[in-house]
């Protein structure tokens, strides 16, 4: 299975499903991908044996089949590449070791947290960030519909990456300005995204680290899938920095997928719980566990609003 995933990753990285929108011989494929024909043929034959791609013996033409045709779509291709890229396999190889000690597979594999390790591998970092942006574009409309910004004039998206979420939220909210905060290596991509939507006059880009400091001047903060990236100690640092930045009465919106560990059908959350352990020695949490963290950081729960599979946990600084 790991070999199959890796081989299909190679095919996606070479854009083979998109190239095969018109059937091609192995030599034509190699002209478009700059790889060695004999080696690519070995890979393609292995993939075909596992139900990926079609080969016509008579015409010697390769083509997509039902399994590979969806990956003509760049978003589907990028998302799949994220889950089977070589860096993922390096992390997974340390799963057994990380079960034995209180650290992440990322620390064991790269001697640093996953987000720092990604900066050492720009190609995989871009795949990761693009995948997160794809997920946010998909969930953005649901969050926008559920989120109550009636008491918000200035919104900060902490850990907002390339600004996909905040541009979606503020697109039709001309009375609200905002900013996106993320580490320097990531947040620069937000400038392009925001400029493309002509929102640079309303949305600021701030390079920083939420574990160290969160800038003030905002009446509301939103964090989507941020707290689940961190253990309790670091989560509290971020939440307390939010409280210091917002002051009393400030609104904090945490968008997460609280888990009910007793429910067998909670497959996504259970799988994500393992992924968080591997990435950062972090975890998915129950709603009660989120509320407990918020209270320790001097926030009081206001309400919890469903947003598709997610929940918006709205709390206020006290």
């Amino acid at each position: 299975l790991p070999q199959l995933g890796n081989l299909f990753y190679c095919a996606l990285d070479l854009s083979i499903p998109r190239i095969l929108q018109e059937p091609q011989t192995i030599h034509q494929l190699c002209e478009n991908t700059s790889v060695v024909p004999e080696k690519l043929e070995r890979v393609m034959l292995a993939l075909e044996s596992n139900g990926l791609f079609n080969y016509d013996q008579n015409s010697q033409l390769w083509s997509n089949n039902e399994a590979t045709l969806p990956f003509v779509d760049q978003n589907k291709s990028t998302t799949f590449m994220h889950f089977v890229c070589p860096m993922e396999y390096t992390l997974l190889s340390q799963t057994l070791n990380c079960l034995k000690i209180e650290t992440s597979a990322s620390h064991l594999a790269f001697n640093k947290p996953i987000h720092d390790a990604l900066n050492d591998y720009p190609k995989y970092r871009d795949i990761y960030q693009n995948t997160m942006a794809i997920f946010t574009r998909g969930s953005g409309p649901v969050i926008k519909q559920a989120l109550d910004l009636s008491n918000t004039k200035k919104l900060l998206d902490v850990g907002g990456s390339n600004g996909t979420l905040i541009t979606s939220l503020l697109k039709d909210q001309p009375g609200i300005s905002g900013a996106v905060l993320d580490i320097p290596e990531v947040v620069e991509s937000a400038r392009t995204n925001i400029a493309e939507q002509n929102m640079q006059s309303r949305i600021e880009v701030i390079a920083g680290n939420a574990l160290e400091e969160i800038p003030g001047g905002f009446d509301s903060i939103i964090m989507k899938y941020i707290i689940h990236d961190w253990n309790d100690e670091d989560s509290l640092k971020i939440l307390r920095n939010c409280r210091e930045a917002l002051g009393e009465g400030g609104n904090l919106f945490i968008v997460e997928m609280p888990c009910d560990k007793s429910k067998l059908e909670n497959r996504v959350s259970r799988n994500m719980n393992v992924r968080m352990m591997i990435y950062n020695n972090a975890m998915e949490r129950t709603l009660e566990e989120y509320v407990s963290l918020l209270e320790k950081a001097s926030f009081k729960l206001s309400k919890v609003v469903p947003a598709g599979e997610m929940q918006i946990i709205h709390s206020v600084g006290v």
Side-chain angles (χ1 to χ4, degrees):
L1 188 59
Q3 175 176 295
L4 178 61
N6 184 254
L7 292 180
F8 194 48
Y9 169 87
C10 293
L12 295 177
D13 197 29
L14 293 168
S15 301
I16 287 178
R18 288 197 293 282
I19 294 171
L20 288 181
Q21 290 180 80
E22 294 292 335
Q24 297 195 12
T25 66
I26 199 72
H27 288 283
Q28 288 173 319
L29 265 178
C30 289
E31 288 175 4
N32 286 302
T33 56
S34 300
V35 294
V36 178
E38 187 269 335
K39 290 186 175 182
L40 181 60
E41 185 176 43
R42 288 194 221 177
V43 170
M44 295 297 290
L45 288 170
L47 290 171
E48 188 204 19
S49 295
N50 286 278
L52 299 165
F53 301 110
N54 279 333
Y55 180 62
D56 185 280
Q57 295 280 354
N58 295 323
S59 65
Q60 297 186 336
L61 291 174
W62 286 94
S63 60
N64 283 308
N65 61 8
E66 289 184 359
T68 60
L69 192 58
F71 294 96
V72 171
D73 183 301
Q74 181 61 54
N75 287 347
K76 286 185 173 63
S77 179
T78 298
T79 301
F80 192 87
M81 288 174 71
H82 163 58
F83 289 109
V84 296
C85 76
M87 191 171 185
E88 282 288 307
Y89 287 120
T90 302
L91 288 167
L92 290 171
S93 72
Q94 293 293 335
T95 301
L96 179 60
N97 292 327
C98 91
L99 291 177
K100 299 176 180 179
I101 54 177
E102 281 296 329
T103 191
S104 68
S106 179
H107 274 92
L108 292 171
F110 305 110
N111 201 32
K112 59 182 68 176
I114 183 63
H115 296 96
D116 292 339
L118 281 167
N119 289 328
D120 295 334
Y121 301 90
K123 180 176 182 176
Y124 303 141
R125 180 194 65 204
D126 291 346
I127 290 173
Y128 174 84
Q129 295 298 334
N130 289 336
T131 300
M132 296 305 105
I134 290 165
F135 289 160
T136 299
R137 281 196 295 272
S139 61
V142 178
I143 297 171
K144 185 174 183 177
Q145 185 175 12
L147 186 64
D148 180 8
L149 293 177
S150 57
N151 293 321
T152 297
K153 294 298 181 184
K154 198 167 184 182
L155 176 67
L156 175 65
D157 183 1
V158 171
S161 186
N162 68 359
T164 299
L165 178 61
I166 197 165
T167 53
S168 172
L169 295 177
L170 301 190
K171 189 75 173 178
D172 304 317
Q173 298 273 12
I176 304 177
S177 61
V180 55
L181 170 74
D182 215 316
I183 58 175
E185 296 83 358
V186 170
V187 79
E188 284 305 312
S189 61
R191 297 190 193 278
T192 302
N193 185 29
I194 292 167
E196 285 175 351
Q197 300 187 55
N198 198 29
M199 298 180 72
Q200 62 268 36
S201 63
R202 293 175 50 211
I203 300 177
E204 183 183 359
V205 175
I206 304 172
N209 187 330
L211 281 167
E212 297 171 359
E213 183 182 14
I214 292 175
F218 301 88
D219 51 42
S220 299
I221 288 175
I222 188 166
M223 292 189 289
K224 174 181 174 287
Y225 290 164
I226 300 299
I227 297 302
H228 79 160
D229 280 342
W230 303 98
N231 60 29
D232 284 352
E233 181 182 355
D234 287 334
S235 293
L236 273 172
K237 286 181 183 178
I238 294 171
L239 292 173
R240 284 168 175 156
N241 286 341
C242 287
R243 174 62 180 82
E244 184 176 351
L246 286 170
E248 186 175 344
N251 299 294
L252 176 63
F253 303 101
I254 296 177
V255 183
E256 293 282 358
M257 195 184 298
C259 61
D260 184 340
K261 297 173 183 176
S262 66
K263 290 187 177 180
L264 180 63
E265 64 269 22
N266 209 342
R267 180 178 61 85
V268 173
S269 186
R270 285 181 172 187
N271 287 332
M272 285 298 293
N273 206 10
V274 173
R275 186 166 290 275
M276 293 303 102
M277 174 189 73
I278 291 170
Y279 278 3
N280 273 349
N281 200 33
M283 69 202 77
E284 297 294 337
R285 296 177 174 88
T286 65
L287 178 59
E288 292 74 18
E289 287 170 333
Y290 279 115
V291 172
S292 176
L293 284 174
L294 288 164
E295 290 175 347
K296 291 175 182 176
S298 299
F299 283 100
K300 181 180 180 181
L301 180 66
S302 175
K303 57 185 174 181
V304 179
V305 182
E309 292 184 333
M310 303 163 292
Q311 293 187 43
I312 302 174
I313 305 169
H314 178 196
S315 61
V316 177
V318 293

